[in-house]
Amino acid sequence: MGLFSKNFLWGSASSAHQVEGGAVNDWSGWEKANAKRLAREAEKKYGHLPSWEQIKDQATNPNNYISGHACEHYRMFREDFDSAQALGHTAHRFSLEWSRIEPVEGRFDETEIAHYREVIKALRARGIEPFVTLWHWTLPVWLAEKDGILNRQFSEYFERYTTKVAKEFGVEICFWITINEPEIYALNSHYRGIWPSQKTGFINFFRATHALNRAHRNAYRVIKKINPNAKIGASLNTSYFESAGGRISNCMKWAVDWLWNMRFLRNIHNELDFVGINYYFHNRIKGFWFNQNENKKISDMGWEIYPEGLYHVLLDLKRFQLPVYITENGVADMNDVFRADFIRDHISEINRAIAEGVDVRGYFYWSLLDNFEWDKGFWPRFGLIEVDYETQKRKIRPSAFEYKKIIEESAIKP
Ligand code: FCB
């Protein structure tokens, strides 16, 4: 693993809604309205998973689908960052919760801004570089009530919020991520209709991605104006699409690569200082059929574990000639049986890509803590640190120490 420079950043990622607790936003409302339904549908959705026996009590309980106190990270961030530091992390990605900062349209809450200033300070005090995500999917209620990201003025609202936080934190923060996974959000919220605001169809999908493109561009411009030295990126969900061979599969691969992996990047690459990628999925295409994967290893959620795909995804990004950060990569593994190998294997694929000239500069494991996994709730366990949601006690998983060893072995000491 010798190719990682001493400046390579190692850490983990999180998002406000999934860890903080006490959220009042479009998701928290949606959760309450949909918890019973989600619990009822659990067996149909997850009953086939090998993990079902272990997850079923949680997955069929409506409380599982309500983020509520989450990990109380809002209150416990200092001790969580103590753990990150003890685990050798040199960077941490987290998101600002827009609904806290601007709970009422046009009115900013200075107490919440002070809170995030403390969060940044706590990271810096531990020698951990903050990567700040401006938007990780949750909207203030006032904006959700006006059609959310489809509101014609969405990019202006986003710009106003960005201007405020960039003015507040512009000098303290070097790395900004404007938007998390615009493709996944647009797909689930505006095409499949399974997340708030439950819109469906291609037109809504394209309108959503268009709105997020614009929001990114505006935010980029605003932050640069305030701090020309800031490094600004977006976190994209890039999948490895593999063709099983043959003309149809090849064409399909080409088309989805273009539509899913490249479209957003092509649209915004002039307004990017780095590319953030979140890698979770391999998708093998056979003829017109997607997901013809061998699934030799799967996570508790049934997602295939396929480290090699990360190498391919990274090589595809070479053409953009931009630094790359893996802003998310992780596995739901409650028994901690796959996680250590998962991390090691993905990092060695990153190493392979670096050897071939891809400028990868950091890796963020998803996630530091077990957390609230959107419409699936609390049963998926992604954390390097296990959370007991009853007591809020944390327990570091063995794989977290393995990751620590990797960090120590890989960083070339000055
Ligand atoms: C990503 C999301 C992140 C988390 C992981 C498992 O798509 O960005 O919030 O839910 O998946």
Side-chain angles (χ1 to χ4, degrees):
M1 303 221 175
L3 283 171
F4 297 100
S5 84
K6 70 175 189 327
N7 298 325
F8 193 91
L9 294 172
W10 299 100
S12 61
S14 70
S15 91
H17 186 75
Q18 295 176 274
V19 294
E20 284 183 346
V24 182
N25 56 31
D26 62 334
W27 274 83
S28 62
W30 183 85
E31 289 157 16
K32 287 182 198 122
N34 288 276
K36 283 202 185 116
R37 174 182 61 82
L38 293 169
R40 249 190 330 238
E41 291 170 358
E43 181 157 10
K44 207 166 83 209
K45 287 188 194 152
Y46 316 119
H48 65 284
L49 295 174
S51 59
W52 177 246
E53 281 308 311
Q54 276 181 282
I55 66 168
K56 76 173 176 207
D57 288 349
Q58 251 190 308
T60 53
N61 181 346
N63 290 336
N64 171 69
Y65 300 95
I66 294 177
S67 58
H69 296 288
C71 316
E72 290 191 27
H73 178 71
Y74 188 84
R75 172 175 70 79
M76 295 175 72
F77 67 92
R78 290 191 187 83
E79 63 175 275
D80 291 335
F81 296 159
D82 283 342
S83 305
Q85 182 187 25
L87 291 170
H89 297 194
T90 55
H92 184 70
R93 175 180 171 224
F94 68 98
S95 73
L96 303 175
E97 179 57 39
W98 187 355
S99 63
R100 287 187 190 276
I101 293 179
E102 193 182 354
V104 177
E105 181 173 353
R107 265 206 251 141
F108 297 102
D109 187 327
E110 298 300 328
T111 326
E112 297 294 352
I113 288 169
H115 168 81
Y116 288 113
R117 178 159 291 120
E118 287 304 310
V119 170
I120 295 165
K121 245 176 41 196
L123 288 170
R124 289 245 180 262
R126 289 161 181 77
I128 300 176
E129 182 70 38
F131 271 56
V132 176
T133 309
L134 283 167
W135 187 67
H136 200 122
W137 298 348
T138 47
L139 293 170
V141 174
W142 60 263
L143 181 51
E145 280 171 355
K146 298 193 198 188
D147 223 11
I149 67 166
L150 295 190
N151 185 301
R152 282 179 190 282
Q153 281 169 280
F154 172 71
S155 64
E156 282 104 79
Y157 294 134
F158 191 63
E159 182 174 327
R160 182 174 61 188
Y161 154 69
T162 304
T163 307
K164 174 69 180 168
V165 294
K167 278 193 180 147
E168 294 287 343
F169 307 129
V171 225
E172 289 153 68
I173 297 298
C174 309
F175 295 97
W176 295 89
I177 290 163
T178 54
I179 286 175
N180 181 67
E181 295 187 354
E183 329 77 347
I184 292 280
Y185 180 79
L187 181 78
N188 286 340
S189 293
H190 291 79
Y191 176 75
R192 297 170 70 201
I194 59 168
W195 286 357
S197 56
Q198 293 195 300
K199 298 210 168 41
T200 52
F202 264 119
I203 293 178
N204 281 325
F205 175 78
F206 284 110
R207 282 180 67 201
T209 53
H210 179 70
L212 295 173
N213 274 337
R214 276 192 53 189
H216 167 84
R217 285 206 200 94
N218 285 1
Y220 182 92
R221 206 170 20 78
V222 162
I223 303 171
K224 273 283 156 170
K225 216 157 127 206
I226 294 167
N227 178 5
N229 296 323
K231 301 285 176 224
I232 307 158
S235 284
L236 306 175
N237 178 289
T238 32
S239 294
Y240 170 46
F241 295 105
E242 180 192 8
S243 159
R247 245 215 333 244
I248 296 176
S249 311
N250 291 345
C251 287
M252 291 287 285
K253 172 193 158 45
W254 180 88
V256 286
D257 258 339
W258 178 83
L259 192 69
W260 190 260
N261 285 340
M262 294 299 153
R263 205 169 67 94
F264 201 79
L265 257 175
R266 278 190 200 289
N267 281 330
I268 61 165
H269 80 274
N270 289 328
E271 289 97 9
L272 275 182
D273 301 320
F274 65 86
V275 184
I277 65 161
N278 298 353
Y279 174 73
Y280 294 96
F281 301 118
H282 164 223
N283 192 325
R284 190 160 178 271
I285 301 170
K286 205 166 181 184
F288 291 107
W289 304 103
F290 289 102
N291 285 313
Q292 302 302 300
N293 300 12
E294 286 184 289
N295 288 328
K296 285 190 187 147
K297 267 193 212 160
I298 58 166
S299 76
D300 296 346
M301 290 164 81
W303 296 1
E304 188 190 22
I305 299 174
Y306 197 78
E308 192 190 318
L310 179 54
Y311 163 80
H312 295 289
V313 160
L314 288 171
L315 279 203
D316 274 354
L317 293 177
K318 214 169 145 181
R319 68 186 87 161
F320 293 100
Q321 300 277 317
L322 285 166
V324 178
Y325 291 88
I326 317 299
T327 45
E328 280 182 37
N329 170 237
V331 63
D333 176 19
M334 66 188 134
N335 301 319
D336 206 34
V337 286
F338 295 123
R339 191 173 286 103
D341 285 346
F342 178 99
I343 296 174
R344 189 172 290 279
D345 294 346
H346 281 85
I347 290 173
S348 72
E349 295 297 337
I350 298 171
N351 200 357
R352 201 146 75 92
I354 295 177
E356 294 191 28
V358 188
D359 184 9
V360 188
R361 299 193 185 176
Y363 175 81
F364 295 80
Y365 175 79
W366 181 273
S367 180
L368 181 63
L369 306 168
D370 286 340
N371 61 69
F372 181 75
E373 179 54 27
W374 307 112
D375 59 325
K376 299 182 186 62
F378 286 109
W379 64 261
R381 299 275 181 165
F382 278 90
L384 292 170
I385 301 174
E386 185 182 335
V387 175
D388 177 332
Y389 294 111
E390 296 289 310
T391 60
Q392 291 300 340
K393 285 234 167 67
R394 275 71 165 139
K395 194 165 142 208
I396 299 180
R397 292 199 165 100
S399 55
F401 294 109
E402 291 301 313
Y403 181 32
K404 181 182 186 189
K405 269 194 228 150
I406 297 171
I407 297 174
E408 286 167 353
E409 284 162 20
S410 308
I412 301 166
K413 298 283 179 279

